Amino acid sequence: MPSPSRERILSDEEELNTIRILVAGDAAVGKTRVCELLCNGRGASELLLPLPGTDTQQDWTCGCKLSILREMVDADFRPLEVEVELWEVGGTKTYSCARPVFYDALDAVLLVYDMSNMKSYHGLVAWLFELCSLVRPPSLKYWDAGGGSGGQPDMDLELGDSRSSEQGILGGRCPVLFVANKCDLQDQQQRENFARNKPRPIPPERPPLVDRLLGGGTGDAFLQPYRRSTAEQQLLEKLCDFVQQGQHTEACCRDGQLHFDFLLWKDFVRRVHKAKQLDPKGGP
């Protein structure tokens, strides 16, 4: 598992030409295969076959997995090589408490869902809510610089730096691309209907942090019905609209049927790089 801190000190120019993209989504939606496709693919017409003797069975990602690729983009009317870091976090609840350590200093977000599993599509709202509310580990959010028993709580555990994170994501400083993976599991008509009329996502019953810290499940007797604050409700409504109206692209990572819009991907990288140039300290 990579360290959240970088191993070498980058120059200012190298830092601006390196973008960090978080890859997130529910478990088993194919995040790892999407990252492999982005790192190894050169176009939808090329087939990426597994190496002889390799096992195509994918294990679930534990913690975080880092992949690095380079893309040539047009910047200020000249070609520029941009280093792209893909930070893929595990989607299972087992590792949910460890994920926020990787949410700091992001330049963009790639949210993956399964076209054949609408639950993973609706779950995009929960992921965005988590990013807006958990950009730093609880130990850093709950206590001030004094730390330990001498620290003073200076922000709500759930809200954290939510205002700056919310503005970064919803305001475009941290671009978001939604990837509808496993598109081969739906026919062409279903895919076209979904592209034209994306349903409005259903927000989670409770904020993810409450669900994970207290154990979740409506049958737990010790859990009282959760009452959202007005701010939480307003944020969830904005995130539902954001998912429905956001930029979505299809992907298929099945061997022999690989498909991805690499032109759109390169344009996304260009937009992320431009946003970082305009606001080097932006993002969540």
Side-chain angles (χ1 to χ4, degrees):
M1 183 175 67
S3 168
S5 61
R6 305 203 174 170
E7 294 182 357
R8 62 188 179 93
I9 299 176
L10 302 176
S11 67
D12 291 342
E13 183 177 358
E14 287 178 317
E15 177 66 26
L16 286 175
N17 293 334
T18 300
I19 61 175
R20 181 176 179 180
I21 300 179
L22 181 78
V23 182
D26 289 354
V29 296
K31 298 184 295 295
T32 299
R33 295 302 299 269
V34 169
C35 290
E36 291 174 353
L37 183 60
L38 291 174
C39 290
N40 301 324
R42 292 296 178 271
S45 61
E46 296 189 18
L47 299 183
L48 304 179
L49 300 179
L51 296 175
T54 58
D55 185 4
T56 57
Q57 179 67 33
Q58 294 291 319
D59 294 328
W60 286 359
T61 299
C62 304
C64 180
K65 182 182 295 183
L66 174 62
S67 303
I68 298 177
L69 65 147
R70 289 176 172 82
E71 291 283 359
M72 295 298 298
V73 300
D74 293 327
D76 298 326
F77 304 103
R78 63 183 178 89
L80 177 70
E81 185 178 65
V82 177
E83 184 176 270
V84 182
E85 298 178 358
L86 299 176
W87 292 68
E88 177 200 345
V89 294
T92 62
K93 285 189 177 183
T94 306
Y95 310 107
S96 60
C97 292
R99 286 198 296 256
V101 73
F102 304 107
Y103 291 172
D104 188 31
L106 298 176
D107 299 311
V109 180
L110 201 69
L111 282 176
V112 184
Y113 61 99
D114 183 344
M115 279 283 284
S116 64
N117 179 6
M118 286 302 295
K119 182 179 178 181
S120 68
Y121 171 75
H122 294 296
L124 297 174
V125 176
W127 278 99
L128 287 170
F129 186 91
E130 182 171 309
L131 288 170
C132 286
S133 57
L134 292 179
V135 293
R136 292 193 294 172
S139 59
L140 294 180
K141 291 193 302 179
Y142 193 68
W143 296 98
D144 66 5
S149 59
Q152 294 295 325
D154 59 356
M155 62 185 72
D156 185 88
L157 179 62
E158 288 183 38
L159 294 181
D161 288 338
S162 61
R163 289 300 301 170
S164 60
S165 304
E166 175 185 343
Q167 292 168 1
I169 291 175
L170 298 181
R173 296 200 313 272
C174 180
V176 179
L177 177 64
F178 301 99
V179 178
N181 195 26
K182 305 184 183 181
C183 63
D184 58 306
L185 299 182
Q186 289 189 328
D187 60 36
Q188 185 67 25
Q189 186 63 45
Q190 289 176 311
R191 289 156 56 186
E192 290 177 356
N193 290 339
F194 182 84
R196 285 195 302 265
N197 303 299
K198 290 183 182 66
R200 193 172 190 274
I202 301 173
E205 294 183 1
R206 286 191 302 275
L209 181 62
V210 174
D211 187 38
R212 287 160 183 159
L213 289 183
L214 300 184
T218 56
D220 295 335
F222 66 89
L223 282 176
Q224 298 296 322
Y226 183 80
R227 295 182 179 179
R228 291 194 181 100
S229 67
T230 302
E232 287 174 334
Q233 186 62 41
Q234 290 176 345
L235 175 57
L236 286 170
E237 293 296 325
K238 291 179 182 178
L239 294 177
C240 288
D241 293 335
F242 184 77
V243 171
Q244 186 180 30
Q245 300 168 12
Q247 185 176 35
H248 294 245
T249 187
E250 295 180 352
C252 176
C253 301
R254 189 186 301 273
D255 294 332
Q257 301 183 43
L258 298 178
H259 168 72
F260 195 85
D261 190 341
F262 283 93
L263 291 178
L264 183 146
W265 163 250
K266 291 191 70 169
D267 182 67
F268 178 71
V269 172
R270 180 191 60 78
R271 289 194 293 113
V272 175
H273 178 262
K274 183 178 180 180
K276 185 171 184 177
Q277 293 279 336
L278 296 174
D279 187 8
K281 297 183 179 181

